[in-house]
Amino acid sequence: MKKVPIIFFIGSFFIFRGFSVLLMIVQTIIKGDIVLKTFILSLQHVLAMYAGAVIVPILVAQGLGLTGEQTTYLVSVDIFMCGIATFLQVYRGKFTGIGLPVVLGCTFTAVAPMITIGKTVGLATMYGSIFISGLVVVLIAPIFAKVAKLFPPVVTGSVVTIIGITLVPVAMNYIAGGQGSKGFGNPKNIILACITLAIILVIYKFTTGFIQSIAILLGLVTGTIIASFMGMVSLSEVSQAGWFQHPTPFKFTGFEFHGSSILTFVIVGIVSMIESTDLRRGYLAEGLAVMIGSTFNAFPYTTYSQNVGLVQISGVKSKKVMYVMVLLLLVFGSIPKIGAFATIVPQPVLGGAMISMFGMVLAYGVKMLGNTDFAKQENLMIIACSVGLGLGVTTVPSAFAQLPSFIRTFTDSGIVLGTVVAIVMNLIFNRRSKQKQK
């Protein structure tokens, strides 16, 4: 496997760049300048993003067949790196960071690609592709306005819809108890998943504000408590986990590179750019966060909308709150026992939560398509062909197996093929339409 030691120094530079600011925060807390209210507001932000931050590593770990110890590390390092990524965005440096109260967390749109690529071509290729996608985001940040023209709503909506459709079967397997498990399809698994989903929906329907924003987290906790009375919860991973760990560069593997895998994550990165901030500094921060995350075998990162909503609900936009939140994430991510608690959630409980979370990815894709002019038959054809081919390759991956390797760079991934088809068809159809109007 190809190691890339220089990345360690890049990651270390940006981590230690924030050390002085974090030290200042600790000193301020010791002096008593940060009151209980600030701490509570910071903790609220942690809770609001926590469910998303732990579900992604759990899904990826189980999808790739990692051990319980490896899963614990993946959850912990993700929490830690969410803190680093958030700091890069909140702290307004010379080149990076928008200086606004936003939170970066691992993106759900990367789950299916990570599992697929990790299983087919290996972890080294998966993390190498994530790193290159972050580098591409950094490089195109200054000219992203021009690149974004290739991704109008008809294209991005189709891509996110493909990703959402790809994720839903993953949730269904978890609802049934986990693919390959002895009790797959057992009625008690399905009942537990339905109870978890019902709890989430009830909380979301009958609450507002902060409680509503953590509906999924509360559903996971409640579902796990119910599962414990059904004998479906084991605390062995928690008891075996240690009390302290630090993120380790290339913990699982170094980097290797593969064309279609890189294209897949570049597309995911661009879609994340489109759905997050529109400032150059913000793009640079996100790109760096992705690069550093891959170095420590973590995940791609994007802005979490639930925390943006929490800022609007609370009306508190203080960066001090966000800095304390960063500190909490770094502390929680350094304690494996906290990460191990996330691994005890039974698969049916995860499945019930995932239906709502991954369904939202699909719904968001449909929402993006809502900005498309459906009166134009060309747009309908773009959606039909891109989603159809993207879903087709996802369900029948061997369809293009005998094509030349160069062509398979674009056909090995449903996301890549669907995106390429959408971009090309949009350029042909809609450009021609504009020329006719002139």
Coordinates of all heavy atoms in Angstrom, one line a residue, residues 19-34 320 323-324 327:
F19 N -4.3 25.0 18.4 CA -4.0 24.7 19.8 C -4.0 25.9 20.6 O -4.5 25.9 21.7 CB -2.7 24.0 19.8 CG -2.3 23.6 21.3 CD1 -2.9 22.5 21.9 CD2 -1.3 24.3 22.0 CE1 -2.6 22.2 23.2 CE2 -1.0 24.0 23.3 CZ -1.6 22.9 23.9
S20 N -3.4 27.0 20.1 CA -3.4 28.2 20.9 C -4.7 28.8 21.3 O -5.0 29.2 22.4 CB -2.5 29.3 20.2 OG -3.1 29.6 18.9
V21 N -5.7 28.7 20.3 CA -7.0 29.2 20.5 C -7.7 28.3 21.5 O -8.4 28.8 22.4 CB -7.8 29.2 19.2 CG1 -9.3 29.6 19.4 CG2 -7.2 30.2 18.2
L22 N -7.6 26.9 21.4 CA -8.2 26.0 22.3 C -7.6 26.2 23.7 O -8.3 26.2 24.7 CB -8.0 24.6 21.9 CG -8.7 24.2 20.6 CD1 -8.3 22.8 20.2 CD2 -10.2 24.3 20.7
L23 N -6.3 26.5 23.8 CA -5.7 26.8 25.1 C -6.3 28.0 25.8 O -6.6 28.1 27.0 CB -4.2 26.9 25.0 CG -3.4 27.2 26.2 CD1 -3.6 26.0 27.2 CD2 -1.9 27.4 25.9
M24 N -6.5 29.0 24.9 CA -7.2 30.3 25.4 C -8.6 30.0 26.0 O -9.0 30.5 27.0 CB -7.3 31.3 24.3 CG -7.9 32.6 24.6 SD -8.1 33.7 23.2 CE -9.4 32.8 22.3
I25 N -9.3 29.1 25.3 CA -10.6 28.7 25.7 C -10.6 28.0 27.1 O -11.3 28.4 28.0 CB -11.3 27.7 24.7 CG1 -11.5 28.4 23.4 CG2 -12.6 27.2 25.2 CD1 -11.9 27.5 22.3
V26 N -9.6 27.1 27.3 CA -9.5 26.4 28.6 C -9.2 27.4 29.7 O -9.7 27.4 30.8 CB -8.3 25.4 28.5 CG1 -8.1 24.8 29.8 CG2 -8.7 24.3 27.5
Q27 N -8.3 28.4 29.4 CA -7.9 29.4 30.3 C -9.1 30.2 30.7 O -9.3 30.6 31.9 CB -6.8 30.3 29.8 CG -5.4 29.5 29.7 CD -4.4 30.4 29.0 OE1 -4.7 31.3 28.2 NE2 -3.1 30.0 29.2
T28 N -9.9 30.5 29.7 CA -11.1 31.3 30.0 C -12.1 30.6 30.9 O -12.7 31.2 31.8 CB -11.8 31.7 28.7 OG1 -10.9 32.3 27.8 CG2 -13.0 32.7 28.9
I29 N -12.2 29.3 30.6 CA -13.1 28.5 31.5 C -12.6 28.5 32.9 O -13.4 28.6 33.9 CB -13.2 27.0 30.9 CG1 -13.9 27.0 29.6 CG2 -14.0 26.1 31.9 CD1 -13.9 25.7 28.9
I30 N -11.3 28.3 33.1 CA -10.7 28.3 34.4 C -11.0 29.6 35.1 O -11.2 29.6 36.3 CB -9.2 28.0 34.3 CG1 -9.0 26.5 33.8 CG2 -8.5 28.1 35.7 CD1 -7.5 26.2 33.5
K31 N -10.9 30.7 34.4 CA -11.1 32.0 35.0 C -12.6 32.2 35.4 O -12.9 33.2 36.0 CB -10.6 33.1 34.1 CG -9.1 33.1 33.9 CD -8.7 34.2 32.9 CE -7.2 34.2 32.7 NZ -6.8 35.2 31.7
G32 N -13.5 31.3 34.8 CA -14.9 31.5 35.2 C -15.6 32.5 34.3 O -16.7 32.8 34.6
D33 N -15.0 32.9 33.1 CA -15.6 33.8 32.3 C -16.8 33.2 31.4 O -17.7 33.9 31.0 CB -14.6 34.5 31.3 CG -13.6 35.3 32.1 OD1 -13.9 35.8 33.2 OD2 -12.5 35.5 31.6
I34 N -16.7 31.9 31.2 CA -17.7 31.2 30.5 C -18.7 30.7 31.5 O -18.4 29.8 32.3 CB -17.2 30.1 29.6 CG1 -16.3 30.7 28.5 CG2 -18.2 29.2 29.0 CD1 -15.7 29.7 27.6
K320 N -17.8 31.9 20.7 CA -17.3 31.3 22.0 C -18.1 30.0 22.2 O -17.5 29.0 22.7 CB -17.5 32.3 23.1 CG -17.0 31.8 24.5 CD -17.3 32.8 25.6 CE -16.5 34.1 25.4 NZ -16.6 35.0 26.5
Y323 N -16.6 27.4 20.0 CA -15.2 27.0 20.4 C -15.3 26.0 21.6 O -14.6 25.0 21.7 CB -14.4 28.2 20.8 CG -13.9 29.0 19.7 CD1 -13.8 30.4 19.7 CD2 -13.5 28.4 18.5 CE1 -13.3 31.2 18.6 CE2 -13.0 29.1 17.4 CZ -12.9 30.5 17.5 OH -12.5 31.2 16.4
V324 N -16.3 26.3 22.5 CA -16.5 25.3 23.6 C -17.0 24.0 23.1 O -16.6 22.9 23.5 CB -17.4 25.9 24.7 CG1 -17.7 24.9 25.7 CG2 -16.8 27.2 25.3
L327 N -14.1 22.1 21.8 CA -13.4 21.5 22.9 C -14.1 20.2 23.4 O -13.4 19.2 23.7 CB -13.3 22.5 24.0 CG -12.3 22.1 25.2 CD1 -10.9 21.9 24.7 CD2 -12.4 23.2 26.3

